Amino acid sequence: MSLLEYLKEEYAAYTVKRYYQEIAKYKSYYSRAEEASYSMVLNYLGELRKEGKNVRLALFSIKAYYDYLVIENKRKDHPARSIKLRDRRVREIQLQELFKEEELLKLF
């Protein structure tokens, strides 16, 4: 099974496209990406962060890539499995949907 076939089985069409593009970028950054170590993956993500790129998308794509390699027995380990981002997502608060103090008091 090819990487693209694997992605199509596991993810929605839009996600497949984005992941495949990100994996291609990763593989062009590391010509031997199949053999990359945990520290190499971290280094790549660090470079993306410095450039202001979407690190979250890159990490999820790289994890999917190594999932594929493990399933296909091209790797025994998964160098990105334990990597988690600790960045907080910025989520805007929609003020128009919040209750006023008087409305909250009426509820209780």
Side-chain angles (χ1 to χ4, degrees):
M1 169 186 322
S2 72
L3 174 60
L4 189 55
E5 290 169 337
Y6 168 76
L7 292 174
K8 285 179 180 179
E9 274 186 18
E10 297 293 321
Y11 303 100
Y14 178 75
T15 304
V16 169
K17 181 180 175 184
R18 299 287 306 271
Y19 279 18
Y20 197 71
Q21 290 170 343
E22 285 298 316
I23 292 167
K25 289 177 194 174
Y26 175 66
K27 289 170 70 175
S28 70
Y29 186 84
Y30 283 128
S31 59
R32 298 177 64 171
E34 257 186 52
E35 301 167 9
S37 65
Y38 174 82
S39 61
M40 293 170 87
V41 175
L42 285 180
N43 181 53
Y44 176 73
L45 295 173
E47 290 297 318
L48 291 180
R49 184 177 304 258
K50 286 179 193 173
E51 296 171 9
K53 303 285 171 108
N54 189 338
V55 178
R56 183 172 300 281
L57 174 62
L59 177 58
F60 291 151
S61 303
I62 290 168
K63 284 184 174 191
Y65 173 60
Y66 288 113
D67 286 340
Y68 162 74
L69 292 177
V70 168
I71 288 168
E72 289 294 306
N73 294 315
K74 294 181 180 181
R75 274 194 81 119
K76 292 182 181 181
D77 65 329
H78 190 306
R81 180 170 286 140
S82 64
I83 299 174
K84 293 182 176 27
L85 299 176
R86 293 188 179 188
D87 301 27
R88 294 187 180 245
R89 284 184 156 176
V90 177
R91 296 179 190 212
E92 296 180 16
I93 298 173
Q94 296 181 358
L95 297 175
Q96 70 275 11
E97 293 180 14
L98 297 178
F99 291 106
K100 295 179 183 173
E101 185 177 354
E102 298 83 32
E103 293 172 321
L104 285 173
L105 290 172
K106 288 179 184 177
L107 292 174
F108 296 102

